[in-house]
Structures are given as structure tokens and as C-alpha cells.
């Protein structure tokens, strides 16, 4: 076994065979650590090149036993769109959109779930569970179905976008809507996992899930022909993804496969921004937001579980965490759709809105090569479009009326 679990607080080590979601001695978050010396010898990038661009292209860097079943739906391998029209409109020279909405269930969560659910099968779990603002539950439900496992999801009532709820239900998950917000749902499901034998928790406090999500960094480097972007911008909610992506770049660096590291920039919605606030004030702790509120329901989180990993990622990469207003998020959603043909959900548009704001204040320069991660597909939350776009025109089937309505009859 070339990996173990390590506490990010006190450094305690645990065997990879333990099912643990927090350090037993200090309660802090865990991460998967490798023996990089032995990996340096076993990783052969020519093997990677022979495989399709996907999460499993990098299987030597994923903590699943050889011979274990891979529960896969074809995740990863998402496009890195060179976004020329958007780049020009923002006054930049080179920017790309890594569109995670192209994943099988329409969000980046699939990268984590292919590994997390494979792990669940490997350890003989019978049930999997998560709390979710929607995408995690949609993804877990799909991968659980694929693996033949029972799936339980706990979501905040009334605040999950319809498309995501539909996904969880159709894949056969047992859905519990909780009176309360995501933070309450996470607390409830963690407690459930502690008392229910055979139930494997797949929120991002499970360090294996983040190992799947780190592959986004590997793909970006491959898609840029081995180049490392100067800056990577990621929407932040529970803060697992930015931590995972940073770990991916660090892995490549430790293995000697890249020599530079990008700046990691996280974007939170103004009404749910405890990490940005801690960053702004130079604090090493967050003050949870008791009643988080934002139109970007995916990142409507007041007490992010992985805040410490996220602060570490931005501080050690010389990056930052910024906030954007709901209005800026919705404007960016429309801008991306109309300039690039990429339809993302509001939380995803936070990365674009954040970039726009940071260029305007000079915190990102026009010389930087930027990758914005858009995390989920726009069709997950179609109702929001009614709020940002004009309504379709209704007319009788008469050419003159159609032309007049379209302004074509001059
Ligand atoms: N974007 C989308 C579309 C998301 O669904 C999420 C998180 C994020 C960004 C933020 O990622 O939590 O790793 O910082 N959604 C979770 C869920 C919380 O339950 O689906 P994060």
C-alpha cells in the first residue's frame, strides 16, 4: 500500500484500511498522503497518454487497490475551452473555461464519486450517504445505482434546484428533506454515519472523494500541453474542490512532473462567504455564517467543512478568496452563455464573476493565463433563467406578426 491517511492538524497517521472521516486524536480533517519516492518510479506518463483523458487516466495516483472494481460512468475528460470572446470582453489575453458540467451527472462531483463509490465497494459498504445542496446527491445517487448500493441523501428542504432533486430521485436514492440548511444536513448525516454500521459517508470530509476531484488539475496540465496556468479560479462552497485541485497540482510538482504551481483563487457568494471573510481579515479561523443566503444555492453554505484546507491552498499558492454579489453571478452566467455558448448553473458562474471583478480591481493582470472552473451544468437550475433573460415572444401564426415581433418588418 503506497498511501496512508494523515491529519492536517496534528499530523497523526492512520492506515488506509481505516474508515475515518476525522482525526481520532484532534478531530481535524484527514488527507491521503503517498510515498512519492515510490510513485516517482511507478508513474509512467507515456501510459497516461495512451489512455483517454478521464479521471482513471491517472489511476496510479488514485488510492484504490489494484484489482478493485472501478465504478465508472465515463467521468472527467471535460473540455478546456479557449474562450476567445470572453477573454476579449474581460480585457485578458489567455483564459480557458474548464467545463465540469460535461460530466455524466453534470457536475465535478462525478470525479470524486467514481473513486468514492469504488472505495465503498472495496471496503464492503452496503449503503452510501451524503448531505448536499444538490449536485453531490445527484452524483452519489447515480454512482450508487451503478454499483448496486443503497443511497441516502439529506438535503435542505426547499432550497435544492429542481434538476438536481430530479436526478437523485430518478436514480433511486432515498431522499430526506431536512428543515434547515446544508450545514444542518451535514451534521445530521455525519451523526447517522457514526451510528449506522455499513454506511459509508461520501461528503468531502471523506478524503478519498477529494482524491478523485484532484484529477481536474492533472487534466488541465495535460490539456495545456504540460504548461501550468498562472491562475486557477474556483467557486467555493464547502471548500473541498479548491483543496482537491490544489492537491492535484502539488502532486504533480512533488513527482517532478511540473515545476510551477498556479495561484489558487476561490470565489464565494457574498451571502455565504466565511472563508473570504477570514482571508480578508488575515485570520486563521472562520466565523460560520448562521443563515447563508445566495441565488447560487449550490454554494449556500455557512460553515464549510474544508475551510482549513481551502485557506491553506490559497495562502500557500499566493492566491486569494474573493466574494461576488448575486447580481454579478447572474450577469456572468448570461455573459458566458452568450459569448461562449456555455450554460452553467449560478454557482459555477461565480468563477467568471470573480475573474471579472478581480481584473477590474487589478488583482488579476491581463498577462496571466487563467483557468476558470465552471462546476455544474445550467440545466440543473433552469428556473433561474426566467429571472435573468427576456421571456419568449408569443404571437399568432401570421408572418407579418412574427416579423413585427422580431423587428424584421422594416
Ligand atoms: N459549484 C457547484 C455547482 C457545486 O455543486 C458546489 C458544491 C460547489 C461549486 C462548491 O464546491 O463545496 O467543494 O467548495 N456543492 C455541494 C453539493 C456542496 O452538495 O452538491 P465545494
Amino acid at each position: 500500500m503506497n498511501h496512508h491517511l494523515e491529519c492536517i492538524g496534528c499530523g497523526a497517521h492512520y492506515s488506509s484500511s481505516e474508515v475515518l472521516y476525522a482525526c481520532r486524536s484532534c478531530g481535524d480533517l484527514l488527507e491521503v498522503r503517498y510515498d512519492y519516492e515510490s510513485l516517482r518510479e511507478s508513474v509512467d506518463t507515456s501510459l497516461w497518454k495512451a489512455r483517454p483523458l478521464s479521471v482513471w487516466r491517472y489511476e496510479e495516483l488514485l488510492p484504490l487497490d489494484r484489482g478493485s472494481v472501478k465504478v465508472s460512468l465515463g467521468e472527467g475528460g471535460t473540455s478546456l475551452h479557449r474562450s476567445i470572446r470572453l477573454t476579449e470582453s474581460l480585457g485578458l489575453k489567455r483564459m480557458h473555461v474548464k467545463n465540469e458540467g460535461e460530466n455524466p451527472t453534470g457536475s465535478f462531483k462525478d470525479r470524486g464519486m467514481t473513486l468514492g463509490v469504488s472505495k465503498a465497494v472495496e471496503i464492503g459498504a452496503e449503503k452510501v450517504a451524503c448531505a448536499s445542496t444538490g449536485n453531490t446527491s445527484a452524483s452519489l445517487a447515480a454512482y450508487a445505482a451503478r454499483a448496486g448500493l443503497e443511497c441516502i441523501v439529506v438535503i435542505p428542504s426547499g432550497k435544492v434546484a429542481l434538476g438536481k432533486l430530479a436526478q437523485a430521485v430518478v436514480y433511486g436514492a432515498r431522499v430526506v428533506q431536512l428543515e434547515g440548511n446544508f450545514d444542518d444536513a451535514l451534521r445530521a448525516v455525519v451523526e447517522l454515519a457514526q451510528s449506522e454500521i455499513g454506511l459509508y459517508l461520501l461528503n468531502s470530509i471523506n478524503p478519498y472523494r477529494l482524491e478523485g476531484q484532484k484529477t481536474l488539475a492533472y487534466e488541465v496540465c495535460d490539456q495545456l500541453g504540460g504548461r501550468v496556468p498562472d491562475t486557477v479560479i474556483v467557486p467555493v462552497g464547502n471548500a473541498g474542490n479548491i483543496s482537491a485541485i490544489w492537491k492535484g497540482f502539488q502532486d504533480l510538482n512533488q513527482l517532478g512532473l511540473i515545476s510551477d504551481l498556479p495561484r489558487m483563487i476561490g470565489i464565494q457568494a457574498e451571502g455565504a462567504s466565511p472563508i473570504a471573510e477570514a482571508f480578508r481579515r488575515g485570520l486563521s479561523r472562520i466565523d460560520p455564517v448562521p443563515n447563508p443566503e445566495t441565488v447560487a444555492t449550490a454554494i449556500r453554505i455557512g460553515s464549510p467543512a474544508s475551510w482549513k484546507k481551502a485557506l491553506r491552498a490559497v495562502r500557500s499558492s499566493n492566491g486569494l478568496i474573493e466574494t461576488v454579489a448575486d447580481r454579478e453571478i447572474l450577469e456572468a452566467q448570461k455573459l458566458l452563455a452568450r459569448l461562449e455558448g456555455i450554460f452553467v448553473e449560478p454557482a459555477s458562474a461565480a468563477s467568471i464573476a470573480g475573474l471579472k471583478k478581480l481584473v477590474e480591481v487589478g488583482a488579476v493582470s491581463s498577462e496571466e493565463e487563467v483557468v476558470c472552473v465552471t462546476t455544474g451544468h445550467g440545466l440543473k437550475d433552469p428556473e433561474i433563467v426566467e429571472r435573468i433573460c427576456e421571456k419568449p415572444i408569443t404571437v399568432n401564426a401570421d408572418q407579418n406578426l412574427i416579423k413585427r415581433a422580431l423587428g424584421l418588418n422594416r
Side-chain angles (χ1 to χ4, degrees), residues 20-318:
L20 269 184
Y21 310 111
C23 176
R24 262 204 301 269
S25 69
C26 76
D28 218 329
L29 296 168
L30 300 171
E31 66 182 356
V32 178
R33 304 292 305 168
Y34 298 87
D35 172 357
Y36 285 98
E37 281 309 306
S38 80
L39 271 184
R40 262 176 202 261
E41 275 151 39
S42 60
V43 167
D44 174 359
T45 53
S46 65
L47 265 181
W48 291 358
K49 296 211 167 71
R51 299 174 187 151
L53 189 75
S54 72
V55 168
W56 294 103
R57 170 184 266 199
Y58 312 98
E59 64 174 85
E60 291 79 9
L61 300 185
L62 295 176
L64 193 72
D65 287 349
R66 289 253 160 94
S68 289
V69 174
K70 294 177 187 126
V71 183
S72 173
L73 288 162
E75 49 292 316
T78 57
S79 306
L80 184 70
H81 298 280
R82 180 85 196 262
S83 303
I84 294 167
R85 281 167 28 92
L86 182 62
T87 307
E88 273 173 16
S89 105
L90 296 177
L92 292 166
K93 295 203 175 113
R94 269 187 307 179
M95 80 154 289
H96 317 258
V97 174
K98 180 68 170 162
N99 187 21
E100 290 290 282
E102 296 171 23
N103 274 297
T105 76
S107 85
F108 70 96
K109 306 286 180 178
D110 296 343
R111 291 182 187 275
M113 290 309 176
T114 185
L115 184 69
V117 174
S118 300
K119 201 76 197 166
V121 172
E122 187 181 273
I123 64 170
E126 289 160 6
K127 301 179 198 141
V128 287
C130 70
S132 181
T133 56
N135 282 321
T136 301
S137 55
S139 181
L140 181 59
Y143 283 84
R146 184 89 169 147
L149 298 177
E150 218 181 291
C151 177
I152 297 167
V153 308
V154 185
I155 57 173
S157 72
K159 289 288 181 181
V160 168
L162 195 60
K164 303 175 189 180
L165 184 57
Q167 287 179 292
V169 171
V170 83
Y171 294 130
R174 286 160 67 196
V175 180
V176 178
Q177 301 202 56
L178 198 92
E179 292 297 338
N181 58 32
F182 170 83
D183 305 301
D184 301 313
L186 184 57
R187 261 191 303 275
V189 83
V190 168
E191 219 172 287
L192 194 67
Q194 276 156 359
S195 60
E196 226 6 67
I197 294 165
L199 186 147
Y200 193 54
L201 184 61
L202 274 164
N203 278 102
S204 55
I205 54 172
N206 181 326
Y208 288 100
R209 223 194 80 192
L210 295 188
E211 289 302 292
Q213 287 175 212
K214 74 181 179 181
T215 57
L216 184 145
Y218 305 163
E219 287 187 9
V220 166
C221 292
D222 273 352
Q223 288 170 307
L224 292 177
R227 209 165 61 239
V228 178
D230 298 306
T231 305
V232 176
I233 308 189
V234 190
V236 172
N238 212 23
N241 204 30
I242 191 167
S243 316
I245 296 170
W246 173 236
K247 188 166 189 285
F249 285 112
Q250 283 182 303
D251 275 356
L252 296 183
N253 188 249
Q254 298 222 39
L255 291 170
L257 297 173
I258 57 172
S259 47
D260 300 319
L261 287 165
R263 275 201 309 157
M264 297 300 299
I265 295 187
I267 308 294
Q268 291 201 292
E270 239 167 49
S273 55
I275 310 178
E277 182 62 13
F279 180 80
R280 196 180 61 76
R281 294 167 59 197
L283 303 178
S284 51
R285 305 204 58 78
I286 60 158
D287 281 331
V289 174
N291 296 305
E293 207 41 84
T294 167
V295 68
T297 52
I299 52 173
R300 187 175 164 270
I301 295 175
S303 183
S306 295
W307 64 267
K308 202 186 247 188
K309 287 185 178 177
L311 272 180
R312 193 178 62 174
V314 296
R315 288 197 171 126
S316 53
S317 71
N318 222 359

Side-chain angles (χ1 to χ4, degrees), residues 350-363:
S351 60
I352 308 291
L355 173 59
K356 186 165 187 287
K357 182 171 177 179
L358 293 169
V359 170
E360 280 162 11
V361 301

